[in-house]
Amino acid sequence: MDTSAEQEFAEYFDARRDTVRRTAFLMCGDWHRADDHAQAAFVALHRHWRRIRGRDDVRVLDAWVRRTLMRSVVDESRRPWRRERFTPEVPDAAPARDAGDGVATRETLVAALRSVPSRQRAVLVLRYFDDLDVAATAEALGCSEGTVKSQTSHGLAALRAALGDGIDDLRPAG
């Protein structure tokens, strides 16, 4: 890559690395894995930098990185060893959930978000944390707007179930 292209990539990386890392964390729920996914997305971006059309527009690059990031998280969640959860003891009963009188704390929300299937989690993160509309989310994920709407609905239902009955204010935005 020539020097000007390297400089362009470095500027984009410096400007967006924290946002991409945060999005990755919200998708996977673990800071260490989020770092890995963000790194994988930026490595892929660097590798394809010269071939990306419209790279002078930050929105094009953001969409490219989001799509790469989402694919990385979803692919990793499909690996068999990610489905196993080891605990030191088997509990006799399910642990009681305390959502603080119906208000989910950040930790409670992130934990509940981890229980949502990865594709639905990606849609929820892009829609509600990255504040993308249905069309932009569909473009980022490479699917139809109807798929985004149904995944949003199913994801919010799964999130409500994970948070318990006290959470009634999670409604899909039109």
Side-chain angles (χ1 to χ4, degrees):
M1 199 180 323
D2 63 352
T3 307
S4 66
E6 274 296 334
Q7 183 63 30
E8 289 174 5
F9 176 80
E11 289 172 4
Y12 177 78
F13 175 78
D14 288 340
R16 304 302 290 167
R17 88 175 135 215
D18 292 335
T19 302
V20 171
R21 184 174 178 257
R22 181 199 56 162
T23 300
F25 171 74
L26 292 170
M27 286 184 180
C28 70
D30 179 81
W31 282 112
H32 299 289
R33 287 180 24 221
D35 288 336
D36 292 343
H37 292 304
Q39 179 180 357
F42 280 120
V43 166
L45 177 66
H46 186 269
R47 186 175 44 238
H48 298 289
W49 185 261
R50 293 175 58 193
R51 292 185 285 183
I52 297 174
R53 293 186 182 149
R55 68 176 186 251
D56 53 333
D57 186 0
V58 173
R59 293 175 299 176
V60 170
L61 293 173
D62 285 348
W64 199 97
V65 169
R66 272 194 298 271
R67 185 172 24 253
T68 305
L69 183 65
M70 186 274 309
R71 287 178 180 160
S72 174
V73 172
V74 169
D75 287 349
E76 193 239 2
S77 71
R78 290 178 178 159
R79 294 190 176 118
W81 60 83
R82 286 291 176 204
R83 290 185 221 126
E84 297 177 2
R85 299 283 184 239
F86 297 100
T87 59
E89 297 177 11
V90 178
D92 291 334
R97 295 186 185 215
D98 180 14
D101 296 325
V103 178
T105 63
R106 179 181 179 93
E107 293 81 20
T108 304
L109 179 60
V110 170
L113 201 53
R114 271 189 237 128
S115 70
V116 175
S118 58
R119 184 81 172 180
Q120 294 170 10
R121 185 178 337 124
V123 169
L124 293 177
V125 168
L126 293 176
R127 290 287 321 278
Y128 297 105
F129 292 96
D130 280 357
D131 202 28
L132 297 180
D133 61 6
V134 173
T137 303
E139 183 179 334
L141 298 177
C143 63
S144 71
E145 291 183 18
T147 299
V148 170
K149 291 175 185 178
S150 68
Q151 292 292 306
T152 300
S153 176
H154 295 301
L156 287 174
L159 191 58
R160 280 188 198 101
L163 288 171
D165 296 332
I167 307 299
D168 291 327
D169 59 340
L170 294 175
R171 302 259 186 259

